[in-house]
């Protein structure tokens, strides 16, 4: 936008100022008590088979996974509302049908992961499964339930059909995914584990959770989430015990999606998504980053 304004002839300074003011008031007029969402970037990626019965059907930044079974499919996350058409295109390009998606699960209730839930549910009629503490966020389109406060640009609410707790499972057509409550990033943040058969081997698959602290979130003395440090520390303990050979997460950037996909395309001898070392490092680096933030905030508070 500023490029457009700057390209106007210099003699029309008043017009430029008026345009700037109009534009600034349009983008920067936050509702009171509401935090602005980051800009949404949606770029198609893949789609492709990751391993076994697991397919990548998300956009470049926001992972969406399709677990296929003979009795219908399970979808993990839906990305932004703008990701929903990418998901549909990807599923169909792979030769699957949207209406065969029977169950939708998620990692956590932020707009870049469940913003497309309402749209995908409309396309599929699938049952939405969510954790107890993130369900209100999905059902209100982030108008409530997010400890950071109500969000700007809320998305279409989607009704949650089944509430799950730590250790609960989701099963369809011989595929079972187990939910692990790993809070911190959100109150109801989930990790998922399952196994797949690949080349005669049984492999442990883990969808690790987002473990970063969102910008602007304090971890020391956060009145909106007073136990956030305990939540994170417990979560890191749990994550270290999850069997993880095939390493996935809600964002491709967490596990080097683009580089691994490129290696796969180049004919890598072993499937690059089998990455137990990367999985362990993801958790360890996340923990180190978190503890550094705790230390820095504690020092500043003294
Ligand atoms: Zn998030």
């Amino acid at each position: 936008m500023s490029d457009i304004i700057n390209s106007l002839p210099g003699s029309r300074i008043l017009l430029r100022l008026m345009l700037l003011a109009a534009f600034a008031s349009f983008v920067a007029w936050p509702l009171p008590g509401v935090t602005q969402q980051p800009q949404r970037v949606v770029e198609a990626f893949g789609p492709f088979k990751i391993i076994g019965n697991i397919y990548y059907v998300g956009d470049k930044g926001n992972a969406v996974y399709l677990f296929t079974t003979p009795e219908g499919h399970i979808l993990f996350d839906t990305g932004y509302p703008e990701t929903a058409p990418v998901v549909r295109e990807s599923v169909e390009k792979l030769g699957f049908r949207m209406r065969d998606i029977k169950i939708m699960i998620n990692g956590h209730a932020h707009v870049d992961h469940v913003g497309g839930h309402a749209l995908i549910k409309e396309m599929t009629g699938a049952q939405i499964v969510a954790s107890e503490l993130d369900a209100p966020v999905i059902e209100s389109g982030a108008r409530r339930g997010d400890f950071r406060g109500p969000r700007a640009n809320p998305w279409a609410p989607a009704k949650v059909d089944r509430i799950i707790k730590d250790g609960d499972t989701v099963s369809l057509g011989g595929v079972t995914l187990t939910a692990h409550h790993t809070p911190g990033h959100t109150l109801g943040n989930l990790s998922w584990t399952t196994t797949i058969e690949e080349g005669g081997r049984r492999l442990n698959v883990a969808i690790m959770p987002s473990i970063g602290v969102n910008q602007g979130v304090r971890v020391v003395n956060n009145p909106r989430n007073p136990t956030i440090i305990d939540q994170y520390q417990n979560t890191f303990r749990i994550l270290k015990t999850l069997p993880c050979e095939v390493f996935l997460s809600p964002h491709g950037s967490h596990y080097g999606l683009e580089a691994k996909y490129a290696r796969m395309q180049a004919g890598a001898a072993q499937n690059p998504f089998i990455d137990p070392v990367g999985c362990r490092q993801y958790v360890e680096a996340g923990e180190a980053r978190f503890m550094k933030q705790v230390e820095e905030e504690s020092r500043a508070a003294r």
Side-chain angles (χ1 to χ4, degrees):
M1 180 67 189
S2 62
D3 283 346
I4 300 169
I5 292 168
N6 287 333
S7 68
L8 290 169
S11 60
R12 298 163 89 179
I13 277 199
L14 188 62
L15 175 65
R16 288 171 63 176
L17 284 175
M18 283 166 66
L19 272 174
L20 260 179
F23 181 63
S25 67
F26 175 68
V27 292
W29 205 324
L31 295 166
V34 169
T35 312
Q36 205 67 29
Q37 295 282 358
Q39 205 184 356
R40 294 170 184 175
V41 180
V42 169
E43 198 183 323
F45 189 80
F48 69 103
K49 174 178 168 168
I50 297 171
I51 196 166
N53 63 326
I54 310 172
Y55 296 82
Y56 191 92
V57 296
D59 66 58
K60 199 174 200 171
N62 306 299
V64 179
Y65 305 115
L66 183 74
F67 294 80
T68 62
T69 93
E71 290 166 30
H73 314 313
I74 302 169
L75 193 72
F76 169 89
D77 276 3
T78 53
Y80 288 120
E82 293 84 348
T83 308
V86 173
V87 172
R88 181 211 282 263
E89 214 168 284
S90 299
V91 167
E92 289 171 356
K93 210 182 258 182
L94 289 165
F96 300 111
R97 295 182 303 193
M98 286 301 280
R99 67 169 180 274
D100 288 336
I101 295 173
K102 304 295 180 198
I103 303 174
M104 292 159 62
I105 60 173
N106 71 88
H108 66 273
H110 282 163
V111 66
D112 46 345
H113 305 293
V114 298
H117 262 43
L119 290 166
I120 298 286
K121 183 170 184 159
E122 225 174 79
M123 295 177 194
T124 61
Q127 174 197 50
I128 294 182
V129 175
S131 69
E132 192 174 4
L133 294 173
D134 273 10
V137 186
I138 296 171
E139 293 202 310
S140 68
R143 288 163 184 85
R144 60 189 172 83
D146 188 322
F147 72 75
R148 299 172 301 171
R151 315 309 294 162
N153 313 320
W155 67 86
K159 182 167 182 331
V160 174
D161 303 290
R162 182 184 163 205
I163 300 275
I164 48 164
K165 291 196 284 287
D166 183 54
D168 282 350
T169 59
V170 167
S171 295
L172 186 68
V175 172
T176 296
L177 287 127
T178 304
H180 307 271
H181 184 216
T182 46
H185 187 78
T186 65
L187 297 175
N189 199 19
L190 294 176
S191 316
W192 292 90
T193 52
T194 187
T195 59
I196 52 144
E197 200 79 57
E198 174 78 1
R201 282 168 76 193
R202 193 147 269 283
L203 291 169
N204 292 301
V205 179
I207 305 179
M208 285 285 155
S210 285
I211 47 177
V213 176
N214 279 118
Q215 213 170 3
V217 172
R218 283 186 56 87
V219 294
V220 173
N221 299 326
N222 184 332
R224 289 179 179 274
N225 187 0
T227 60
I228 189 169
I229 293 178
D230 293 338
Q231 290 165 28
Y232 263 101
Q233 286 181 333
N234 255 320
T235 286
F236 290 125
R237 254 195 298 280
I238 294 164
L239 295 182
K240 287 175 192 168
T241 69
L242 295 187
C244 177
E245 291 167 300
V246 177
F247 167 34
L248 302 174
S249 110
H251 288 293
S253 57
H254 293 166
Y255 60 92
L257 167 70
E258 288 177 57
K260 284 175 176 169
Y261 179 57
R263 273 161 54 204
M264 192 181 226
Q265 294 288 92
Q270 180 175 269
N271 188 315
F273 293 93
I274 303 174
D275 184 14
V277 174
C279 194
R280 201 165 49 242
Q281 284 169 347
Y282 171 70
V283 176
E284 283 167 4
E287 184 174 30
R289 236 180 2 255
F290 179 78
M291 291 317 292
K292 186 161 171 265
Q293 180 167 347
V294 172
E295 199 186 304
E296 281 170 4
E297 285 185 21
S298 305
R299 203 181 313 126
R302 281 199 288 269

